[in-house]
Structures are given as structure tokens and as C-alpha cells.
Amino acid sequence: EVQLVESGGGLVQPGGSLRLSCSASRFTFSNYAIHWVRQAPGKGLEFVSAISSNGGSTYYADSVKGRFTISRDNSKNTLYLEMSSLRPEDTAVYYCVKGPFSIAARYFDYWGQGTLVTVSS
Amino acid sequence: EIVLTQSPGTLSLSPGERATLSCRASQSVSSSYLAWYQHKPGQAPRLLIYGASSRATGIPDRFSGSGSGTDFTLTISRLEPEDFAVYFCQQYATSPTWTFGQGTKVGIK
């Protein structure tokens, strides 16, 4: 079955930076759009960012625009999220999520287990 | 932004009972672009339903989705022990600005 494994989470101070990775396997990574979705403690899910299969199109939630950058390396089957100028409200579990198409649209058919990012001094 | 409101927040039921979960949208969700997911603690969320009523691959037929416009329902016909989890809905009519409901927890009575 499809596997998505996130890594790179941890504790970071406000204003700091962090890079999340998502390693994909058991499917043709380069054919599908991939997304980041987060869930803050006690809150609902929130779309963060998405990237099309070839990396040509990227999307960001207003809350992270200008601070986060999504990218992918199809040769390594890996998705990245570079996070900078982190704020306490960015504290959340970050999920790597696969879409069913090459473009970032529609529902999400597979999710990773998530990685926790904590922004605190 | 389409706001999704799920009710009830918590549902306490026994195995074998029927569960009915609601997801109401603040405006019409075009083309019934609504999905349902199951989430158990420490596990990856799992897609159950897309297009309001289409079951995802491998999902048992005790799970069914219905509705259109602003009112959607997820029904679990007979709860199995493994079905106790949090369920959340998602609209993708306005992708890439997807939104999610806050979730309904189905707990054991």
C-alpha cells in the first residue's frame, strides 16, 4: 500500500526555521500532486500547501504564504516543506497527503502519520 | 471560504448500532465535492467517501455517504469495534482552498 513518511519535526523557537520531509513509496510519486495539511492541538485540520506532480504549480494557505516553501524531488520520491519565520500558531502535526491526480485538486486518498512541529521559546 | 460544521461533536454508541454523522456547509458545495475521512489516534487518516457518496477502495459497505448542496451525512450501518474513531468531512469544491469540518468523535457507550 502507499506509504508516506514525514520527518523533520521538532521544537523550534519563534522566528526560527525548519524543513520537513516526506518520503513516498509504493506508488509512482512523480505522477501525483502532494499536499501538506496540519492540525493544531485541539483544532481542526487546515490546508497548508500543495504542489503539482511536476512541481510546476504550487499553492499556499494565506496563513503561511511568504514564509513556507513547498518543493519536491521526483528522483528521490521526496516532498519538502521549508518553514521560516515560525510562529507559535504554526505549532501542529503536519501531514503529508497524496492526491488522486497530477494537479492539486479534489480529495486526498492517502495520508502519512504526521510529524509534530512545536514553536515555543 | 466554505465553513463546514459537523454534528454532533461526540457520539456515544455501542457496537452493532447505527451511527449518523452530519456535515453542514455554509454555502452550497458544488458537484457534491465532499469527502469523509476516519482518523484513529496515532494512525494516518483514511479516506472513506468522496464525491459525497462514492466509497474509496477497500472501504466496507457499512459506510455510506449521502447528501448534496449544504447538507451531507455519513452513515455507519452497524458499528464494528474498529469503527470507533474521529470522522471529519472535507470540501474540495473550492480547491486548492480546501476546508475541513472540526470532526465528530464516535466513542464506545
Side-chain angles (χ1 to χ4, degrees):
Chain A
E1 184 166 283
V2 166
Q3 278 205 335
L4 298 162
V5 180
E6 303 92 339
S7 61
L11 176 64
V12 60
Q13 291 191 336
S17 299
L18 209 57
R19 186 176 84 157
L20 304 184
S21 299
C22 171
S23 178
S25 59
R26 301 182 186 174
F27 69 102
T28 305
F29 181 74
S30 59
N31 284 355
Y32 298 96
I34 310 290
H35 316 69
W36 289 101
V37 173
R38 68 185 180 185
Q39 186 169 31
K43 299 287 184 68
L45 291 157
E46 178 190 21
F47 161 72
V48 174
S49 185
I51 187 167
S52 60
S53 60
N54 64 3
S57 296
T58 57
Y59 307 91
Y60 299 93
D62 288 342
S63 57
V64 307
K65 204 170 292 183
R67 301 187 298 122
F68 288 13
T69 302
I70 191 171
S71 62
R72 63 192 296 162
D73 185 339
N74 285 346
S75 68
K76 295 182 178 179
N77 291 346
T78 303
L79 175 77
Y80 303 100
L81 185 69
E82 296 275 0
M83 304 186 294
S84 63
S85 302
L86 283 161
R87 306 166 180 167
E89 55 265 36
D90 294 319
T91 294
V93 175
Y94 285 72
Y95 294 98
C96 172
V97 188
K98 174 187 170 294
F101 304 110
S102 61
I103 58 171
R106 305 294 183 260
Y107 50 90
F108 304 138
D109 54 1
Y110 292 96
W111 298 60
Q113 293 196 338
T115 186
L116 176 63
V117 173
T118 303
V119 184
S120 174
S121 53
Chain B
E1 175 181 297
I2 298 179
V3 177
L4 300 179
T5 302
Q6 291 186 241
S7 61
T10 302
L11 203 50
S12 295
L13 295 168
S14 299
E17 288 193 297
R18 181 185 189 91
T20 303
L21 288 66
S22 172
C23 176
R24 180 162 291 177
S26 59
Q27 56 189 277
S28 183
V29 177
S30 61
S31 304
S32 295
Y33 282 162
L34 188 111
W36 289 93
Y37 302 87
Q38 177 192 68
H39 192 193
K40 297 179 184 179
Q43 296 187 20
R46 180 172 70 148
L47 173 68
L48 299 175
I49 302 286
Y50 62 93
S53 60
S54 297
R55 266 189 303 276
T57 303
I59 301 303
D61 60 8
R62 65 179 181 273
F63 291 93
S64 63
S66 62
S68 63
T70 60
D71 288 295
F72 298 88
T73 300
L74 174 70
T75 301
I76 310 171
S77 59
R78 295 172 312 280
L79 282 164
E80 297 288 339
E82 62 268 27
D83 298 337
F84 292 93
V86 175
Y87 294 84
F88 55 92
C89 56
Q90 174 222 354
Q91 68 81 20
Y92 49 96
T94 59
S95 59
T97 53
W98 302 266
T99 54
F100 298 86
Q102 80 281 16
T104 291
K105 181 179 180 179
V106 178
I108 300 176
K109 190 173 182 180

